[in-house]
Amino acid sequence: MEGKGQQFWIQDCSAATENILLAAHAQGLGAVWTALYPMDERMQPVSEALKLPSTMIPLCTVVIGYPAETPEPKDKWKPENISYNEFGQKE
């Protein structure tokens, strides 16, 4: 793909990464998405360690393992953050 469409790889890989996280959770594993792209200081060491060709850009790594604990989920629900039909519109 030419032009700006080339950047769709970011959304494609992000969606695939989220599916990996969901699959790990479904199997009772803990997983965390660690961002790499677009930070050169993060991408370069991973590229070197994995011997990636220059045509491959690492978006992120996913660390997966067995959780040492099972904390309660955080309640992040805030009704004041909800907008209806347009940004900032309350009900």
Side-chain angles (χ1 to χ4, degrees):
M1 190 176 286
E2 298 297 320
K4 289 186 178 185
Q6 290 179 352
Q7 296 302 308
F8 281 131
W9 73 269
I10 297 168
Q11 287 113 316
D12 294 341
C13 291
S14 296
T17 301
E18 183 63 26
N19 287 334
I20 292 168
L21 296 171
L22 291 169
H25 178 76
Q27 294 182 27
L29 297 168
V32 64
W33 176 329
T34 57
L36 302 176
Y37 180 84
M39 308 296 286
D40 288 329
E41 64 272 15
R42 294 180 179 189
M43 295 186 314
Q44 185 179 5
V46 171
S47 293
E48 289 172 5
L50 298 176
K51 297 181 175 48
L52 297 180
S54 61
T55 55
M56 294 184 82
I57 300 169
L59 178 75
C60 65
T61 58
V62 178
V63 181
I64 300 175
Y66 292 97
E69 52 190 50
T70 311
E72 289 295 317
K74 295 176 186 172
D75 183 4
K76 295 182 180 182
W77 170 251
K78 292 183 180 179
E80 64 270 18
N81 290 342
I82 304 295
S83 294
Y84 296 90
N85 299 319
E86 61 184 67
F87 182 76
Q89 185 70 26
K90 304 296 181 193
E91 295 185 47

